[in-house]
Amino acid sequence: MPILNTLLAATNFRNPFLRTLVPSIGLAYGLQAAVAIPSIILQSERFYDLSGSLTYLSCTALSLYLPALRARSAAALAGKAAPAWPSLADALRGTGGPHGFNWRQVVLSAAVSVWASRLGSYLFQRILQDGEDSRFKNIRNSPPKFAVAFLAQATWVSLCLLPVMAINSLPAGTFASLGGAVAVTDVIGILLYIGGLSFEVTADRQKSTWVEEKKAKKHDEDFLTRGLWSKSRHPNYFGESTLWTGIATLSAGVLSSNAGIAGMALAGGLTGKIIALLSAGVSPAFVTFLLLKVSGVPLSESKYDKRYGDRADYKKWKETTPKFIPKIFG
């Protein structure tokens, strides 16, 4: 507890956003460093993706419960009775009270947790089956390059979670000022998240089924062109970009409001609104950039181009199937 109290005191900034942001980001880099050290020593990427998901879960939980943790720590230091932990059920019923959660905080935190748990378990199961991840073939034997991969993952988590951390940093009074009505951005955000997650899950399941059928010699196809993979060459990545856009949309509706700007202790007017919108929008922008330009689409396309680039059927699939945004007809 003394260490915890010291950390809470050191990050007890006047700005409520920084009070949540700094500890949460610090946790992301700390967890990634803890996993990076043994991974570099063993030259193994087995726990890379799993550690990323656990970092998402841990940072989301910390950002959500950090205000309550601070309140309980302050009460203990003052010799007073610690306030009760906020109730998730009360938040969904709208009865969280002045020290409880708002339903948007719970929904967004749950949305990230569902996505991270699903994707982390899927990728971990895949690497257990395959034995290695081709992304790390040329860097696992280089400690500096391998360390950068873990550093990049901590940065990825921090930027993706920025809108959620911002929402979770807002005091209860901010949401009370918004009133109890469900906003258009709430509905659009939730629908985009559900649609994006469904798209990603379906695409991953179709590919897993295709791989299993190939192992069972039910087909002799070298690359998947059926199902969602006939609508987009990378439907799983499209789904991921879409779900983060949904999270950002819901967040932006709150953060860019007058109450949200005040809750983040930002300057009023256009400047505060722009900063609030950037806090929400950086997440899908970064995810989409990473998938389209860095680690997702480029690596996958390069690998398949080298294997099948001279084949007519592969060229036809690339010519008739969009790279990212799925085609609606055809």
Side-chain angles (χ1 to χ4, degrees):
M1 288 300 293
I3 297 178
L4 176 61
N5 290 333
T6 300
L7 292 174
L8 291 175
T11 57
N12 192 24
F13 303 102
R14 180 176 299 180
N15 186 296
F17 183 37
L18 291 180
R19 281 203 301 268
T20 298
L21 186 68
V22 173
S24 300
I25 291 179
L27 178 62
Y29 283 94
L31 289 175
Q32 284 302 295
V35 178
I37 294 173
S39 297
I40 291 172
I41 294 174
L42 298 173
Q43 298 182 353
S44 171
E45 71 275 22
R46 175 167 294 187
F47 296 101
Y48 181 81
D49 288 314
L50 182 62
S51 73
S53 293
L54 293 176
T55 302
Y56 271 106
L57 293 171
S58 300
C59 292
T60 299
L62 178 63
S63 69
L64 183 63
Y65 281 95
L66 192 55
L69 189 62
R70 290 188 186 280
R72 291 174 64 87
S73 176
L77 291 174
K80 300 179 180 179
W85 290 104
S87 168
L88 297 177
D90 287 345
L92 296 177
R93 288 194 295 262
T95 57
H99 302 293
F101 299 135
N102 177 262
W103 69 266
R104 295 176 181 86
Q105 295 173 312
V106 175
V107 167
L108 286 178
S109 297
V112 172
S113 299
V114 168
W115 168 81
S117 300
R118 202 286 308 181
L119 185 61
S121 58
Y122 169 78
L123 294 176
F124 186 58
Q125 184 180 29
R126 188 176 69 178
I127 196 170
L128 289 179
Q129 293 175 344
D130 296 343
E132 66 174 1
D133 188 329
S134 59
R135 295 176 298 171
F136 299 92
K137 184 177 181 180
N138 298 321
I139 68 172
R140 71 168 70 94
N141 297 327
S142 171
K145 292 181 179 180
F146 206 8
V148 168
F150 284 94
L151 180 67
Q153 182 154 253
T155 304
W156 184 4
V157 172
S158 300
L159 290 176
C160 283
L161 282 182
L162 193 59
V164 179
M165 291 188 289
I167 287 290
N168 287 345
S169 73
L170 297 176
T174 297
F175 297 101
S177 300
L178 294 173
V182 176
V184 174
T185 49
D186 297 329
V187 177
I188 294 175
I190 291 173
L191 290 177
L192 283 173
Y193 171 81
I194 293 174
L197 181 65
S198 300
F199 216 84
E200 182 179 41
V201 170
T202 301
D204 285 340
R205 286 181 176 175
Q206 288 178 348
K207 189 162 188 177
S208 294
T209 300
W210 179 85
V211 170
E212 291 301 318
E213 289 177 347
K214 185 174 179 64
K215 291 179 180 178
K217 300 187 183 303
K218 293 183 179 180
H219 67 77
D220 58 357
E221 301 168 0
D222 291 318
F223 46 92
L224 176 59
T225 60
R226 294 183 267 121
L228 293 181
W229 300 83
S230 67
K231 305 297 182 180
S232 167
R233 302 204 300 273
H234 304 278
N236 52 339
Y237 296 148
F238 171 77
E240 184 163 336
S241 174
T242 301
L243 70 88
W244 284 108
T245 300
I247 289 174
T249 300
L250 195 158
S251 301
V254 176
L255 298 177
S256 64
S257 67
N258 291 333
I261 291 172
M264 293 178 69
L266 298 174
L270 182 60
T271 301
K273 189 175 290 289
I274 291 175
I275 294 175
L277 289 173
L278 288 175
S279 298
V282 68
S283 175
F286 180 73
V287 168
T288 304
F289 170 78
L290 201 65
L291 293 175
L292 285 176
K293 300 297 183 180
V294 184
S295 66
V297 172
L299 292 179
S300 179
E301 295 263 310
S302 176
K303 180 176 68 175
Y304 279 92
D305 285 349
K306 289 179 181 178
R307 291 181 183 177
Y308 314 116
D310 58 345
R311 286 176 43 170
D313 55 348
Y314 178 74
K315 291 179 180 179
K316 182 179 180 180
W317 177 62
K318 288 194 67 174
E319 291 173 357
T320 59
T321 307
K323 178 188 293 186
F324 192 68
I325 300 177
K327 58 183 178 182
I328 300 175
F329 304 104

PDB file of all heavy atoms in Angstrom, residues 120-137:
ATOM      1  N   GLY A 120      -7.233 -11.651 -28.389  1.00  0.00           N
ATOM      2  CA  GLY A 120      -6.058 -12.197 -27.716  1.00  0.00           C
ATOM      3  C   GLY A 120      -6.078 -13.714 -27.663  1.00  0.00           C
ATOM      4  O   GLY A 120      -5.073 -14.370 -27.940  1.00  0.00           O
ATOM      5  N   SER A 121      -7.239 -14.287 -27.301  1.00  0.00           N
ATOM      6  CA  SER A 121      -7.345 -15.746 -27.225  1.00  0.00           C
ATOM      7  C   SER A 121      -7.238 -16.367 -28.614  1.00  0.00           C
ATOM      8  O   SER A 121      -6.632 -17.436 -28.780  1.00  0.00           O
ATOM      9  CB  SER A 121      -8.673 -16.139 -26.568  1.00  0.00           C
ATOM     10  OG  SER A 121      -9.785 -15.605 -27.289  1.00  0.00           O
ATOM     11  N   TYR A 122      -7.784 -15.690 -29.632  1.00  0.00           N
ATOM     12  CA  TYR A 122      -7.719 -16.194 -31.006  1.00  0.00           C
ATOM     13  C   TYR A 122      -6.267 -16.227 -31.499  1.00  0.00           C
ATOM     14  O   TYR A 122      -5.810 -17.236 -32.051  1.00  0.00           O
ATOM     15  CB  TYR A 122      -8.572 -15.315 -31.917  1.00  0.00           C
ATOM     16  CG  TYR A 122      -8.380 -15.580 -33.397  1.00  0.00           C
ATOM     17  CD1 TYR A 122      -8.972 -16.686 -34.014  1.00  0.00           C
ATOM     18  CD2 TYR A 122      -7.605 -14.723 -34.175  1.00  0.00           C
ATOM     19  CE1 TYR A 122      -8.796 -16.923 -35.366  1.00  0.00           C
ATOM     20  CE2 TYR A 122      -7.426 -14.957 -35.529  1.00  0.00           C
ATOM     21  CZ  TYR A 122      -8.020 -16.056 -36.122  1.00  0.00           C
ATOM     22  OH  TYR A 122      -7.833 -16.300 -37.458  1.00  0.00           O
ATOM     23  N   LEU A 123      -5.546 -15.139 -31.293  1.00  0.00           N
ATOM     24  CA  LEU A 123      -4.159 -15.066 -31.766  1.00  0.00           C
ATOM     25  C   LEU A 123      -3.243 -15.990 -30.972  1.00  0.00           C
ATOM     26  O   LEU A 123      -2.306 -16.575 -31.531  1.00  0.00           O
ATOM     27  CB  LEU A 123      -3.660 -13.624 -31.682  1.00  0.00           C
ATOM     28  CG  LEU A 123      -4.349 -12.617 -32.614  1.00  0.00           C
ATOM     29  CD1 LEU A 123      -3.833 -11.211 -32.367  1.00  0.00           C
ATOM     30  CD2 LEU A 123      -4.151 -13.020 -34.073  1.00  0.00           C
ATOM     31  N   PHE A 124      -3.523 -16.138 -29.680  1.00  0.00           N
ATOM     32  CA  PHE A 124      -2.689 -17.027 -28.862  1.00  0.00           C
ATOM     33  C   PHE A 124      -2.891 -18.484 -29.279  1.00  0.00           C
ATOM     34  O   PHE A 124      -1.930 -19.254 -29.384  1.00  0.00           O
ATOM     35  CB  PHE A 124      -3.032 -16.849 -27.383  1.00  0.00           C
ATOM     36  CG  PHE A 124      -2.138 -17.620 -26.460  1.00  0.00           C
ATOM     37  CD1 PHE A 124      -0.764 -17.417 -26.470  1.00  0.00           C
ATOM     38  CD2 PHE A 124      -2.667 -18.550 -25.577  1.00  0.00           C
ATOM     39  CE1 PHE A 124       0.078 -18.129 -25.606  1.00  0.00           C
ATOM     40  CE2 PHE A 124      -1.840 -19.257 -24.713  1.00  0.00           C
ATOM     41  CZ  PHE A 124      -0.473 -19.045 -24.733  1.00  0.00           C
ATOM     42  N   GLN A 125      -4.130 -18.841 -29.542  1.00  0.00           N
ATOM     43  CA  GLN A 125      -4.412 -20.199 -30.012  1.00  0.00           C
ATOM     44  C   GLN A 125      -3.753 -20.448 -31.362  1.00  0.00           C
ATOM     45  O   GLN A 125      -3.213 -21.534 -31.615  1.00  0.00           O
ATOM     46  CB  GLN A 125      -5.921 -20.413 -30.108  1.00  0.00           C
ATOM     47  CG  GLN A 125      -6.319 -21.835 -30.505  1.00  0.00           C
ATOM     48  CD  GLN A 125      -7.825 -22.000 -30.590  1.00  0.00           C
ATOM     49  OE1 GLN A 125      -8.557 -21.058 -30.881  1.00  0.00           O
ATOM     50  NE2 GLN A 125      -8.304 -23.197 -30.326  1.00  0.00           N
ATOM     51  N   ARG A 126      -3.747 -19.433 -32.209  1.00  0.00           N
ATOM     52  CA  ARG A 126      -3.153 -19.590 -33.533  1.00  0.00           C
ATOM     53  C   ARG A 126      -1.645 -19.802 -33.451  1.00  0.00           C
ATOM     54  O   ARG A 126      -1.095 -20.665 -34.149  1.00  0.00           O
ATOM     55  CB  ARG A 126      -3.465 -18.360 -34.397  1.00  0.00           C
ATOM     56  CG  ARG A 126      -3.043 -18.526 -35.852  1.00  0.00           C
ATOM     57  CD  ARG A 126      -3.453 -17.346 -36.691  1.00  0.00           C
ATOM     58  NE  ARG A 126      -2.697 -16.137 -36.365  1.00  0.00           N
ATOM     59  CZ  ARG A 126      -2.857 -14.974 -36.995  1.00  0.00           C
ATOM     60  NH1 ARG A 126      -3.783 -14.863 -37.942  1.00  0.00           N
ATOM     61  NH2 ARG A 126      -2.136 -13.929 -36.668  1.00  0.00           N
ATOM     62  N   ILE A 127      -0.972 -19.054 -32.594  1.00  0.00           N
ATOM     63  CA  ILE A 127       0.480 -19.210 -32.519  1.00  0.00           C
ATOM     64  C   ILE A 127       0.855 -20.522 -31.841  1.00  0.00           C
ATOM     65  O   ILE A 127       1.903 -21.107 -32.128  1.00  0.00           O
ATOM     66  CB  ILE A 127       1.143 -18.014 -31.802  1.00  0.00           C
ATOM     67  CG1 ILE A 127       2.649 -18.006 -32.096  1.00  0.00           C
ATOM     68  CG2 ILE A 127       0.895 -18.058 -30.299  1.00  0.00           C
ATOM     69  CD1 ILE A 127       3.352 -16.754 -31.641  1.00  0.00           C
ATOM     70  N   LEU A 128      -0.004 -21.013 -30.947  1.00  0.00           N
ATOM     71  CA  LEU A 128       0.251 -22.321 -30.354  1.00  0.00           C
ATOM     72  C   LEU A 128       0.177 -23.414 -31.408  1.00  0.00           C
ATOM     73  O   LEU A 128       0.934 -24.392 -31.368  1.00  0.00           O
ATOM     74  CB  LEU A 128      -0.749 -22.600 -29.227  1.00  0.00           C
ATOM     75  CG  LEU A 128      -0.593 -21.788 -27.937  1.00  0.00           C
ATOM     76  CD1 LEU A 128      -1.679 -22.175 -26.942  1.00  0.00           C
ATOM     77  CD2 LEU A 128       0.793 -22.004 -27.318  1.00  0.00           C
ATOM     78  N   GLN A 129      -0.740 -23.235 -32.368  1.00  0.00           N
ATOM     79  CA  GLN A 129      -0.887 -24.217 -33.433  1.00  0.00           C
ATOM     80  C   GLN A 129       0.223 -24.099 -34.474  1.00  0.00           C
ATOM     81  O   GLN A 129       0.782 -25.106 -34.922  1.00  0.00           O
ATOM     82  CB  GLN A 129      -2.251 -24.047 -34.102  1.00  0.00           C
ATOM     83  CG  GLN A 129      -3.436 -24.384 -33.208  1.00  0.00           C
ATOM     84  CD  GLN A 129      -4.769 -24.081 -33.863  1.00  0.00           C
ATOM     85  OE1 GLN A 129      -4.858 -23.365 -34.854  1.00  0.00           O
ATOM     86  NE2 GLN A 129      -5.834 -24.625 -33.293  1.00  0.00           N
ATOM     87  N   ASP A 130       0.566 -22.863 -34.838  1.00  0.00           N
ATOM     88  CA  ASP A 130       1.555 -22.641 -35.897  1.00  0.00           C
ATOM     89  C   ASP A 130       2.991 -22.742 -35.394  1.00  0.00           C
ATOM     90  O   ASP A 130       3.901 -23.059 -36.168  1.00  0.00           O
ATOM     91  CB  ASP A 130       1.351 -21.272 -36.540  1.00  0.00           C
ATOM     92  CG  ASP A 130       0.000 -21.166 -37.239  1.00  0.00           C
ATOM     93  OD1 ASP A 130      -0.616 -22.215 -37.488  1.00  0.00           O
ATOM     94  OD2 ASP A 130      -0.439 -20.025 -37.504  1.00  0.00           O
ATOM     95  N   GLY A 131       3.196 -22.434 -34.122  1.00  0.00           N
ATOM     96  CA  GLY A 131       4.538 -22.512 -33.549  1.00  0.00           C
ATOM     97  C   GLY A 131       5.354 -21.245 -33.678  1.00  0.00           C
ATOM     98  O   GLY A 131       6.328 -21.054 -32.947  1.00  0.00           O
ATOM     99  N   GLU A 132       4.972 -20.349 -34.602  1.00  0.00           N
ATOM    100  CA  GLU A 132       5.690 -19.093 -34.770  1.00  0.00           C
ATOM    101  C   GLU A 132       4.806 -18.085 -35.488  1.00  0.00           C
ATOM    102  O   GLU A 132       3.775 -18.432 -36.058  1.00  0.00           O
ATOM    103  CB  GLU A 132       6.986 -19.286 -35.567  1.00  0.00           C
ATOM    104  CG  GLU A 132       6.774 -19.709 -37.009  1.00  0.00           C
ATOM    105  CD  GLU A 132       8.076 -19.752 -37.810  1.00  0.00           C
ATOM    106  OE1 GLU A 132       9.135 -19.468 -37.226  1.00  0.00           O
ATOM    107  OE2 GLU A 132       8.006 -20.043 -39.012  1.00  0.00           O
ATOM    108  N   ASP A 133       5.235 -16.820 -35.430  1.00  0.00           N
ATOM    109  CA  ASP A 133       4.536 -15.736 -36.113  1.00  0.00           C
ATOM    110  C   ASP A 133       5.507 -15.154 -37.130  1.00  0.00           C
ATOM    111  O   ASP A 133       6.589 -14.677 -36.772  1.00  0.00           O
ATOM    112  CB  ASP A 133       4.123 -14.665 -35.091  1.00  0.00           C
ATOM    113  CG  ASP A 133       3.216 -13.605 -35.696  1.00  0.00           C
ATOM    114  OD1 ASP A 133       3.354 -13.321 -36.895  1.00  0.00           O
ATOM    115  OD2 ASP A 133       2.374 -13.052 -34.961  1.00  0.00           O
ATOM    116  N   SER A 134       5.125 -15.183 -38.398  1.00  0.00           N
ATOM    117  CA  SER A 134       6.026 -14.766 -39.466  1.00  0.00           C
ATOM    118  C   SER A 134       6.447 -13.300 -39.345  1.00  0.00           C
ATOM    119  O   SER A 134       7.481 -12.900 -39.881  1.00  0.00           O
ATOM    120  CB  SER A 134       5.368 -15.001 -40.837  1.00  0.00           C
ATOM    121  OG  SER A 134       4.150 -14.285 -40.943  1.00  0.00           O
ATOM    122  N   ARG A 135       5.666 -12.500 -38.625  1.00  0.00           N
ATOM    123  CA  ARG A 135       6.022 -11.094 -38.460  1.00  0.00           C
ATOM    124  C   ARG A 135       7.344 -10.914 -37.714  1.00  0.00           C
ATOM    125  O   ARG A 135       8.023  -9.903 -37.881  1.00  0.00           O
ATOM    126  CB  ARG A 135       4.924 -10.351 -37.682  1.00  0.00           C
ATOM    127  CG  ARG A 135       3.586 -10.258 -38.380  1.00  0.00           C
ATOM    128  CD  ARG A 135       2.568  -9.600 -37.469  1.00  0.00           C
ATOM    129  NE  ARG A 135       2.353 -10.391 -36.256  1.00  0.00           N
ATOM    130  CZ  ARG A 135       1.654  -9.960 -35.212  1.00  0.00           C
ATOM    131  NH1 ARG A 135       1.111  -8.744 -35.223  1.00  0.00           N
ATOM    132  NH2 ARG A 135       1.482 -10.734 -34.158  1.00  0.00           N
ATOM    133  N   PHE A 136       7.694 -11.900 -36.891  1.00  0.00           N
ATOM    134  CA  PHE A 136       8.872 -11.769 -36.041  1.00  0.00           C
ATOM    135  C   PHE A 136      10.056 -12.592 -36.541  1.00  0.00           C
ATOM    136  O   PHE A 136      11.066 -12.700 -35.847  1.00  0.00           O
ATOM    137  CB  PHE A 136       8.521 -12.200 -34.610  1.00  0.00           C
ATOM    138  CG  PHE A 136       7.444 -11.359 -33.978  1.00  0.00           C
ATOM    139  CD1 PHE A 136       6.112 -11.728 -34.078  1.00  0.00           C
ATOM    140  CD2 PHE A 136       7.761 -10.189 -33.317  1.00  0.00           C
ATOM    141  CE1 PHE A 136       5.114 -10.946 -33.509  1.00  0.00           C
ATOM    142  CE2 PHE A 136       6.780  -9.401 -32.744  1.00  0.00           C
ATOM    143  CZ  PHE A 136       5.449  -9.779 -32.838  1.00  0.00           C
ATOM    144  N   LYS A 137       9.926 -13.150 -37.721  1.00  0.00           N
ATOM    145  CA  LYS A 137      10.976 -14.031 -38.241  1.00  0.00           C
ATOM    146  C   LYS A 137      12.330 -13.347 -38.309  1.00  0.00           C
ATOM    147  O   LYS A 137      13.366 -13.952 -37.993  1.00  0.00           O
ATOM    148  CB  LYS A 137      10.571 -14.541 -39.629  1.00  0.00           C
ATOM    149  CG  LYS A 137      11.550 -15.544 -40.223  1.00  0.00           C
ATOM    150  CD  LYS A 137      11.045 -16.063 -41.561  1.00  0.00           C
ATOM    151  CE  LYS A 137      11.997 -17.074 -42.156  1.00  0.00           C
ATOM    152  NZ  LYS A 137      11.505 -17.596 -43.471  1.00  0.00           N
TER     153      LYS A 137
END
